[in-house]
Amino acid sequence: MDADREFRGSVPALYDRYLGPMIFAPYAEDMAVRLAGVAEGQVLETAAGTGVATRALDAALPPGVGIVATDLNQPMLDHAAGRLASARVQWRQADAQALPFPDGMFDAVVCQFGVMFFPDKARAFAEAHRVLKPGGRLLFSVWDRIEANDFADAVVKAVAGLFPDDPPMFLVRTPHGHHELAPLCALLREVGFGAVEEEAVERESRAAEARAVAIGFCQGTPMRGEIEARGDGALTAATEAAAKAVAARFGEGVVVGRIRAKVVTAVR
């Protein structure tokens, strides 16, 4: 669904403020560690979003490595650029399925939780393969099934209870809808990648309070559009229901839950 890729208005800021530290930062740090062997050259990030992984890469990679951070969504890039002033980072609007770069330009291509949003994943993988140098790596992450991600699971169930006949299913359908890696790994091999490895990575997710979790998912993702389409007051009602469900399951004050993702590495 095209609406699943719309991050507009206040969504980028809320996404970055609430979901960034809560679920994305732990995997950004993990991704940066995986690229520790890149000592010089260029790293391309696709679907950079609000720059959570970009900031981790900038903090961890040696000074001789340049970073080109791209995203299809200009409002997300604008927010990201406002959060990170680094001479070695270039921000550029680009479609991962039609990259505006020459063959063999990059030493690594990174995509944190973006593959799920590509309509033509084979084309995106082929483009990553094309712009990589021989021996270069593509690293990407996808979320595991929603039941293995506590906060997202609690929010979806709570909001579904308000709209049982037509529940908002963005989180299940897109972010958590590509946890079966066999089809993705098959596509990687079809476009020319050699060694393909996968790893499940579990981390801990924290938020200052249950309401922060509810705001992040209900108002800081395309799920917001689905909820608002249910009528006036739906967003407030959904946020409150989600906050109550998270508090009931994880307690008052600081809440802690499990998050689980899968990381794939493919070598050109």
Side-chain angles (χ1 to χ4, degrees):
M1 296 179 63
D2 289 342
D4 285 0
R5 294 181 287 157
E6 291 185 358
F7 291 79
R8 300 177 180 176
S10 62
V11 170
L14 293 172
Y15 173 101
D16 195 52
R17 177 181 176 182
Y18 292 100
L19 298 183
M22 186 169 68
I23 62 173
F24 293 118
Y27 291 103
E29 295 167 1
D30 175 81
M31 194 71 77
V33 169
R34 292 171 188 270
L35 286 175
V38 180
E40 58 184 6
Q42 294 283 319
V43 170
L44 171 67
E45 183 182 4
T46 59
T50 58
V52 178
T54 318
R55 295 192 290 273
L57 294 173
D58 182 61
L61 293 177
V65 180
I67 301 170
V68 181
T70 67
D71 198 277
L72 185 63
N73 191 297
Q74 189 62 49
M76 297 286 271
L77 278 182
D78 291 342
H79 184 88
R83 290 287 313 274
L84 176 63
S86 174
R88 67 152 157 192
V89 176
Q90 300 177 46
W91 304 98
R92 185 164 177 178
Q93 185 179 27
D95 186 346
Q97 301 165 136
L99 293 170
F101 306 110
D103 297 357
M105 178 176 174
F106 296 99
D107 298 87
V109 176
V110 178
C111 184
Q112 174 165 283
F113 301 117
V115 166
M116 305 90 78
F117 294 89
F118 299 155
D120 189 339
K121 294 171 179 57
R123 186 177 173 189
F125 289 157
E127 280 292 273
H129 184 273
R130 179 183 65 78
V131 302
L132 277 169
K133 296 176 181 177
R137 290 178 291 163
L138 167 65
L139 290 86
F140 70 85
S141 53
V142 298
W143 291 112
D144 202 345
R145 65 183 69 249
I146 198 165
E147 294 82 3
N149 289 269
D150 291 339
F151 291 160
D153 187 48
V155 168
V156 165
K157 289 176 178 175
V159 176
L162 295 179
F163 313 102
D165 295 331
D166 186 20
M169 297 300 289
F170 162 74
L171 292 176
V172 176
R173 179 177 60 247
T174 300
H176 296 276
H178 299 82
H179 53 83
E180 294 293 345
L181 292 183
L184 296 178
C185 291
L187 288 177
L188 289 168
R189 295 186 177 96
E190 286 176 13
V191 303
F193 281 100
V196 178
E197 298 179 353
E198 58 185 77
E199 180 182 354
V201 181
E202 189 167 303
R203 292 288 185 268
E204 187 176 80
S205 181
R206 288 177 172 269
E209 59 178 349
R211 184 168 178 79
V213 177
I215 293 172
F217 284 111
C218 293
Q219 301 184 24
T221 73
M223 184 181 183
R224 179 179 187 144
E226 287 188 307
I227 295 171
E228 289 177 327
R230 269 67 180 175
D232 294 341
L235 185 61
T236 298
T239 303
E240 292 303 321
K244 290 179 181 178
V246 173
R249 183 169 168 184
F250 301 100
E252 302 291 341
V254 175
V255 290
V256 181
R258 172 189 54 161
I259 46 176
R260 185 177 173 90
K262 296 179 179 180
V263 179
V264 176
T265 303
V267 179
R268 186 190 189 285

